[in-house]
């Protein structure tokens, strides 16, 4: 008998469940990572539902470390002891552990449990380094990672039962895509109060407490700087120099460390700078975007002058959601917003709020025309009407880009 209840109102996020499905009952640990409240727990529930549809007697062991009834599981030995006491012999035991990083040396427990071939293991965590340290070493390649993001625009339409139009896209741009918003009235006061609490939880639990930071004032100033400059190209040194001008004296190596902590917590995600001609990644200089635009807007506010930054952030997040490896490109003196690679295929993408002047048109299309290869090149903007192509470079409206099966 399974001692938990799967929510009845699940909206399946097939982009994740269909990727997980081939690994069900396979001897690898399924690892779901992503920002807090991005929906990892509900994807676990959806995976459980799929398993139970195939076998309603399946033995499922679910441990949620945010539930106080599991507070007694504090170390790897507690975890192994509990799971072993709940497993049934001679059948597959499906083990789901939510927010596993809250268990001391959980890596040892996961490795030990994986040795039992009747165990099928799924874990979630809110830290990007869940698989980069001891766990990866101990598992020796016997794991597969799925990074869970906030709702895509298409998912936002489904979750909220909304039609695709400019007003809906404006809501998505303002409020972001955290799944819990489905339970709230979509107005500024209600949504921003919720997002502010999520932001504080991420900063205090996943950054300050995890890394035992003392200089919280600097951390807050850094986050605000990143929010104000979303999508700008800079290095740790340039951030340090700017903050020094604001009387915040922090060496650039500490800036780099703090940016890393924010990235590990999935508050922000970076796009490294890529030399298109030399086909190499530069050692310095990155762009940073927020995993959820609603949280970005809570930090710095949202005004018409921010629209271009938020549009670029949305395109970046959409590319990640669709499984692209995304970098920012450099071709001589020309900047390419995104170089997106998937399955050995490349797309070059420029993002503009509107194509309102010849200067803007020349810059956005001209930068792409400087690239001498046959990979697809496109300019994404909010313009409802514009020429379909310019010398072979495609133009696509933002809403069409977000709703098309393959942008």
């Amino acid at each position: 008998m399974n001692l938990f209840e799967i929510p009845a109102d699940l909206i399946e996020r097939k982009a994740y469940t269909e990727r997980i499905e081939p690994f069900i009952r396979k001897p690898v640990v399924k690892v779901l990572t992503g920002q807090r409240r991005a929906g990892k727990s509900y994807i676990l529930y959806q995976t459980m539902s799929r398993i139970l549809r195939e076998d309603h007697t399946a033995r499922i062991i679910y441990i949620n470390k945010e539930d106080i009834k599991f507070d007694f599981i504090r170390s790897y030995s507690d975890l192994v002891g509990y799971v072993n006491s709940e497993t049934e012999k001679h059948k597959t035991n499906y083990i789901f552990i939510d927010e596993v990083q809250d268990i001391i040396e959980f890596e040892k427990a996961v490795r030990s449990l994986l040795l039992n071939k009747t165990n099928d293991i799924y874990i979630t965590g809110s830290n990007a380094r869940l698989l980069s340290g001891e766990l990866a070493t101990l598992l020796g390649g016997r794991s597969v990672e799925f990074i869970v993001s906030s709702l895509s625009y298409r998912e936002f339409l489904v979750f909220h039962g909304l039609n695709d139009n400019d007003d809906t896209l404006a809501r998505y741009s303002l409020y972001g895509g955290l799944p819990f918003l489905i339970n709230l009235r979509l107005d500024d006061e209600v949504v921003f109060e919720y997002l502010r609490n999520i932001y504080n939880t991420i900063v205090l639990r996943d950054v300050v407490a995890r890394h035992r930071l003392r200089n919280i004032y600097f951390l807050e100033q850094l986050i605000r700087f990143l929010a104000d400059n979303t999508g700008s190209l800079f290095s740790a040194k340039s951030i340090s120099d700017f903050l020094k001008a604001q009387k915040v004296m922090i060496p650039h190596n500490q800036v780099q460390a703090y940016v890393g902590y924010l990235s590990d917590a999935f508050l922000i995600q970076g796009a490294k700078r890529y030399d298109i001609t030399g086909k190499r990644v530069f050692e310095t200089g990155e762009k940073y975007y927020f995993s959820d635009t609603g949280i970005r807007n809570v930090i710095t506010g949202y005004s018409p002058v921010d629209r271009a930054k938020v549009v670029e952030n949305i395109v970046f997040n959409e590319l990640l959601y669709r499984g692209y490896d995304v970098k920012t490109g450099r071709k001589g003196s020309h900047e390419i917003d995104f170089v997106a690679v998937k399955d050995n295929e490349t797309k070059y993408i420029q993002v503009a709020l509107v194509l309102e002047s010849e200067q803007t048109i020349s810059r956005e299309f001209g930068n792409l025309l400087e690239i001498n290869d046959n990979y697809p090149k496109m300019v994404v903007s909010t313009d409802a009407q514009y020429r379909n192509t310019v010398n072979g470079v495609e133009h696509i409206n933002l809403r069409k880009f977000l709703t098309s099966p393959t942008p």
Side-chain angles (χ1 to χ4, degrees), residues 132-313:
S132 63
E134 180 118 2
L135 181 60
T137 302
L138 291 175
L139 294 181
R142 292 170 294 170
S143 62
V144 57
E145 183 178 20
F146 307 93
I147 299 176
V148 179
S149 65
S150 295
L151 301 180
S152 69
Y153 179 61
R154 285 187 297 171
E155 289 180 317
F156 185 83
L157 297 175
V158 172
F159 268 60
H160 294 277
L162 296 172
N163 294 321
D164 170 33
N165 55 47
D166 288 342
D167 287 341
T168 300
L169 180 59
R171 284 188 178 188
Y172 180 70
S173 302
L174 180 61
Y175 298 143
L178 291 187
F180 187 80
L181 296 184
I182 192 176
N183 300 299
L184 303 177
R185 187 174 69 251
L186 292 184
D187 66 45
D188 293 7
E189 184 177 354
V190 173
V191 172
F192 286 152
E193 181 63 28
Y194 169 73
L195 293 176
R196 196 171 292 111
N197 278 279
I198 299 302
Y199 165 71
N200 289 333
T201 300
I202 293 169
V203 171
L204 294 176
R205 290 184 61 178
D206 298 331
V207 182
V208 174
R210 181 178 180 84
H211 300 284
R212 299 178 182 178
L213 303 186
R214 293 186 177 183
N215 197 341
I216 298 176
Y217 173 75
F218 163 65
L219 179 66
E220 291 173 341
Q221 294 303 306
L222 174 61
I223 295 171
R224 177 170 288 277
F225 174 85
L226 293 170
D228 285 335
N229 295 277
T230 300
S232 295
L233 186 66
F234 41 65
S235 64
K237 184 179 185 305
S238 66
I239 298 173
S240 177
D241 291 343
F242 172 83
L243 293 174
K244 284 178 182 177
Q246 307 301 310
K247 310 300 182 185
V248 181
M249 310 300 288
I250 297 292
H252 72 270
N253 60 332
Q254 190 169 346
V255 172
Q256 190 170 19
Y258 276 46
V259 168
Y261 301 152
L262 296 172
S263 298
D264 289 347
F266 293 99
L267 184 68
I268 60 172
Q269 297 186 79
K272 293 184 179 297
R273 196 160 57 115
Y274 178 73
D275 178 7
I276 295 172
T277 301
K279 301 188 183 302
R280 63 186 180 90
V281 175
F282 290 100
E283 292 183 4
T284 60
E286 284 186 279
K287 288 184 175 184
Y288 292 98
Y289 299 91
F290 280 77
S291 296
D292 185 81
T293 56
I295 289 179
R296 181 261 172 207
N297 296 334
V298 159
I299 295 165
T300 193
Y302 183 73
S303 66
V305 298
D306 293 319
R307 287 186 64 207
K309 302 172 189 175
V310 172
V311 166
E312 188 173 323
N313 201 142

Side-chain angles (χ1 to χ4, degrees), residues 37-223:
R37 299 297 176 262
K40 299 184 296 294
S41 299
Y42 273 71
I43 292 169
L44 287 189
Y45 286 138
Q46 290 160 23
T47 304
M48 295 177 202
S49 293
R50 180 168 292 214
I51 291 168
L52 289 170
R53 284 197 300 270
E54 296 174 0
D55 177 9
H56 69 276
T57 66
R59 178 58 172 156
I60 293 178
I61 302 167
Y62 177 49
I63 298 164
N64 181 1
K65 276 301 292 175
E66 292 193 331
D67 188 334
I68 196 170
K69 73 181 181 183
F70 293 108
D71 194 47
F72 68 93
I73 301 178
R74 300 188 178 185
S75 69
Y76 71 93
S77 57
D78 298 332
L79 176 57
V80 170
Y82 175 75
V83 170
N84 286 340
S85 71
E86 294 293 315
T87 55
E88 296 182 2
K89 294 182 178 179
H90 311 302
K91 69 183 304 183
T92 300
N93 294 277
Y94 301 92
I95 302 165
F96 293 82
I97 310 168
D98 217 346
E99 298 298 346
V100 72
Q101 77 275 350
D102 292 338
I103 300 172
I104 298 170
E105 295 186 300
F106 71 88
E107 303 93 342
K108 294 180 179 179
V110 172
R111 182 183 65 170
S112 177
L113 294 170
L114 189 61
L115 294 175
N116 186 336
K117 294 182 179 180
T118 67
N119 291 337
D120 189 24
I121 304 172
Y122 305 76
I123 63 177
T124 79
S126 301
N127 190 277
R129 297 195 182 274
L130 201 64
L131 267 180
S132 63
E134 180 118 2
L135 181 60
T137 302
L138 291 175
L139 294 181
R142 292 170 294 170
S143 62
V144 57
E145 183 178 20
F146 307 93
I147 299 176
V148 179
S149 65
S150 295
L151 301 180
S152 69
Y153 179 61
R154 285 187 297 171
E155 289 180 317
F156 185 83
L157 297 175
V158 172
F159 268 60
H160 294 277
L162 296 172
N163 294 321
D164 170 33
N165 55 47
D166 288 342
D167 287 341
T168 300
L169 180 59
R171 284 188 178 188
Y172 180 70
S173 302
L174 180 61
Y175 298 143
L178 291 187
F180 187 80
L181 296 184
I182 192 176
N183 300 299
L184 303 177
R185 187 174 69 251
L186 292 184
D187 66 45
D188 293 7
E189 184 177 354
V190 173
V191 172
F192 286 152
E193 181 63 28
Y194 169 73
L195 293 176
R196 196 171 292 111
N197 278 279
I198 299 302
Y199 165 71
N200 289 333
T201 300
I202 293 169
V203 171
L204 294 176
R205 290 184 61 178
D206 298 331
V207 182
V208 174
R210 181 178 180 84
H211 300 284
R212 299 178 182 178
L213 303 186
R214 293 186 177 183
N215 197 341
I216 298 176
Y217 173 75
F218 163 65
L219 179 66
E220 291 173 341
Q221 294 303 306
L222 174 61
I223 295 171

Side-chain angles (χ1 to χ4, degrees), residues 6-26:
I6 297 175
D9 56 348
L10 292 177
I11 302 174
E12 187 173 8
R13 299 182 69 182
K14 291 186 177 181
Y16 299 105
T17 56
E18 290 181 355
R19 288 172 58 204
I20 294 170
E21 194 276 334
F23 297 95
I24 293 175
R25 289 179 292 277
K26 297 298 188 295

